[in-house]
Amino acid sequence: MKKIFLLVCCLSLCFGLNLDKFECENCQNLKPQNIKKVYASNPTLLYSLYSFDKSLIAGLVFEFWDIEKRFLDPKVYNMPVVGGFYGQGKTPNMEMIISLKPDLIITSKNSKKDPKYGGIFRDLKIPVLYVDDDGSDFGLEIYKAFGEIFGNPKRARELIDYANESQNLASNLQKLNLSKPSVYYAFGKNGLETECGSSSFIRLVDMAGGNSAKFACKGKNARRVKADFENILAKNPDVILVYDKEFYELIWSDPKWQLINAVKNKRVYLIPRSPFSWVGKPASFTKLLGLRWLVEILHKDALQIDIRDEARKFYKLFLYTDLSDEDLDFILNEKD
């Protein structure tokens, strides 16, 4: 009876009876118990697959950095790199993907529109799951789809519950009507790059009770914008979030940045980024913990969050690892 239920769930997804965000081609005969190897075609989907069930990963879109490997399974990060879709015109190596003999390909809906690869994926006759992976829903629908197509709704519910808890935490914070500190999100070695005002990372800061210093980007596909220091000084943020460590070390000694309230009051924070950035690229499920971290640094006394305890729970649930005190020091940028 259980197998019948799982198969029904899978087939309902494949024939489009599930939410409209998901489409599955060549999936008429796909059964959860027969899915052993999966190719995910971009970093966001690869990371999500890792957090759901790392044993399913068949190959990588790129080689992991050393800072990422520290908290990832060597069996995964030593897998063959076959490429994928991840900006700068990057595309997968189809011959290498075929050599992996995946039971399922997971890719973004955007790749379906690609004049070359959309057709190739269909012609392979390998089941292909198309996912809307823009991150606007915190990965909830991705995990729901994974739960159904892999026949593991229990695992999906565990991860979805955590995502919902993070969003509820932010919602409860908003109800307190606290004053919102102004926040500048600094990229680059000199801190003069930032995310576009419409960025999902900027929205994450605002969800956590911040008031982001927003800069408009030019161009439909623009993701970052150069920020003139005079404009930053005029906004005079209370908090600065820093993506690049080089700038974090520079900001404390650069005279002009000493004029900013965030620096004067020592409210400059280097965003945790191991194995993946908590609040920034590459976009991943770690933003679910990043949201809690933002709440803690922006409104320290409001919800009494113990971020070290939160990190231990999160890494155990999503990354299958128990963190030591030394690990936490490293992740939270308290020690190199």
mmCIF file of all heavy atoms in Angstrom, residues 43-44 47 200-201 280-287:
data_model
loop_
_atom_site.group_PDB
_atom_site.id
_atom_site.type_symbol
_atom_site.label_atom_id
_atom_site.label_comp_id
_atom_site.label_asym_id
_atom_site.label_seq_id
_atom_site.Cartn_x
_atom_site.Cartn_y
_atom_site.Cartn_z
ATOM 1 N N PRO A 43 23.820 25.466 -9.357
ATOM 2 C CA PRO A 43 24.234 25.382 -7.953
ATOM 3 C C PRO A 43 23.076 25.326 -6.968
ATOM 4 O O PRO A 43 23.097 24.518 -6.031
ATOM 5 C CB PRO A 43 25.063 26.662 -7.764
ATOM 6 C CG PRO A 43 25.609 26.958 -9.119
ATOM 7 C CD PRO A 43 24.515 26.573 -10.077
ATOM 8 N N THR A 44 22.058 26.173 -7.159
ATOM 9 C CA THR A 44 20.935 26.200 -6.209
ATOM 10 C C THR A 44 20.269 24.844 -6.118
ATOM 11 O O THR A 44 19.974 24.351 -5.015
ATOM 12 C CB THR A 44 19.906 27.262 -6.630
ATOM 13 O OG1 THR A 44 20.516 28.558 -6.591
ATOM 14 C CG2 THR A 44 18.705 27.262 -5.692
ATOM 15 N N TYR A 47 22.661 22.254 -4.436
ATOM 16 C CA TYR A 47 22.701 22.421 -2.981
ATOM 17 C C TYR A 47 21.414 21.892 -2.337
ATOM 18 O O TYR A 47 21.448 21.248 -1.284
ATOM 19 C CB TYR A 47 22.888 23.888 -2.613
ATOM 20 C CG TYR A 47 24.146 24.531 -3.159
ATOM 21 C CD1 TYR A 47 24.208 25.908 -3.369
ATOM 22 C CD2 TYR A 47 25.271 23.780 -3.467
ATOM 23 C CE1 TYR A 47 25.349 26.515 -3.873
ATOM 24 C CE2 TYR A 47 26.418 24.378 -3.967
ATOM 25 C CZ TYR A 47 26.450 25.746 -4.181
ATOM 26 O OH TYR A 47 27.577 26.344 -4.673
ATOM 27 N N SER A 200 16.844 39.289 -3.901
ATOM 28 C CA SER A 200 16.267 38.437 -2.855
ATOM 29 C C SER A 200 17.047 38.557 -1.557
ATOM 30 O O SER A 200 16.491 38.377 -0.468
ATOM 31 C CB SER A 200 16.253 36.974 -3.322
ATOM 32 O OG SER A 200 17.568 36.501 -3.555
ATOM 33 N N PHE A 201 18.341 38.881 -1.642
ATOM 34 C CA PHE A 201 19.148 39.035 -0.433
ATOM 35 C C PHE A 201 18.795 40.335 0.290
ATOM 36 O O PHE A 201 18.794 40.401 1.519
ATOM 37 C CB PHE A 201 20.631 38.992 -0.784
ATOM 38 C CG PHE A 201 21.011 37.775 -1.567
ATOM 39 C CD1 PHE A 201 21.652 37.875 -2.786
ATOM 40 C CD2 PHE A 201 20.700 36.507 -1.103
ATOM 41 C CE1 PHE A 201 21.985 36.755 -3.527
ATOM 42 C CE2 PHE A 201 21.031 35.369 -1.826
ATOM 43 C CZ PHE A 201 21.672 35.494 -3.044
ATOM 44 N N GLY A 280 23.703 35.576 0.728
ATOM 45 C CA GLY A 280 24.345 36.010 -0.503
ATOM 46 C C GLY A 280 24.642 34.855 -1.424
ATOM 47 O O GLY A 280 24.293 33.701 -1.151
ATOM 48 N N LYS A 281 25.289 35.179 -2.513
ATOM 49 C CA LYS A 281 25.618 34.166 -3.511
ATOM 50 C C LYS A 281 26.743 33.271 -3.006
ATOM 51 O O LYS A 281 27.634 33.762 -2.311
ATOM 52 C CB LYS A 281 26.017 34.850 -4.818
ATOM 53 C CG LYS A 281 24.837 35.538 -5.501
ATOM 54 C CD LYS A 281 25.272 36.216 -6.773
ATOM 55 C CE LYS A 281 24.098 36.772 -7.553
ATOM 56 N NZ LYS A 281 23.313 37.762 -6.812
ATOM 57 N N PRO A 282 26.725 31.989 -3.361
ATOM 58 C CA PRO A 282 25.689 31.344 -4.169
ATOM 59 C C PRO A 282 24.405 31.140 -3.367
ATOM 60 O O PRO A 282 24.454 30.778 -2.185
ATOM 61 C CB PRO A 282 26.309 29.996 -4.539
ATOM 62 C CG PRO A 282 27.258 29.710 -3.417
ATOM 63 C CD PRO A 282 27.803 31.041 -2.999
ATOM 64 N N ALA A 283 23.277 31.423 -3.998
ATOM 65 C CA ALA A 283 21.987 31.291 -3.319
ATOM 66 C C ALA A 283 21.762 29.833 -2.915
ATOM 67 O O ALA A 283 21.984 28.928 -3.714
ATOM 68 C CB ALA A 283 20.867 31.759 -4.238
ATOM 69 N N SER A 284 21.354 29.617 -1.696
ATOM 70 C CA SER A 284 21.132 28.249 -1.240
ATOM 71 C C SER A 284 20.196 28.234 -0.039
ATOM 72 O O SER A 284 19.779 29.272 0.474
ATOM 73 C CB SER A 284 22.460 27.585 -0.859
ATOM 74 O OG SER A 284 22.913 28.043 0.406
ATOM 75 N N PHE A 285 19.928 27.025 0.428
ATOM 76 C CA PHE A 285 19.071 26.817 1.585
ATOM 77 C C PHE A 285 19.649 27.429 2.855
ATOM 78 O O PHE A 285 18.931 27.606 3.846
ATOM 79 C CB PHE A 285 18.847 25.317 1.793
ATOM 80 C CG PHE A 285 20.118 24.538 1.991
ATOM 81 C CD1 PHE A 285 20.689 24.405 3.242
ATOM 82 C CD2 PHE A 285 20.764 23.952 0.915
ATOM 83 C CE1 PHE A 285 21.873 23.703 3.428
ATOM 84 C CE2 PHE A 285 21.940 23.241 1.076
ATOM 85 C CZ PHE A 285 22.492 23.114 2.340
ATOM 86 N N THR A 286 20.942 27.782 2.871
ATOM 87 C CA THR A 286 21.533 28.346 4.081
ATOM 88 C C THR A 286 20.939 29.711 4.436
ATOM 89 O O THR A 286 21.118 30.188 5.554
ATOM 90 C CB THR A 286 23.062 28.475 3.945
ATOM 91 O OG1 THR A 286 23.381 29.127 2.713
ATOM 92 C CG2 THR A 286 23.729 27.115 3.972
ATOM 93 N N LYS A 287 20.208 30.334 3.511
ATOM 94 C CA LYS A 287 19.566 31.600 3.858
ATOM 95 C C LYS A 287 18.469 31.403 4.896
ATOM 96 O O LYS A 287 18.071 32.360 5.563
ATOM 97 C CB LYS A 287 19.011 32.290 2.617
ATOM 98 C CG LYS A 287 17.857 31.589 1.940
ATOM 99 C CD LYS A 287 17.436 32.381 0.705
ATOM 100 C CE LYS A 287 16.308 31.689 -0.037
ATOM 101 N NZ LYS A 287 15.943 32.417 -1.263
#
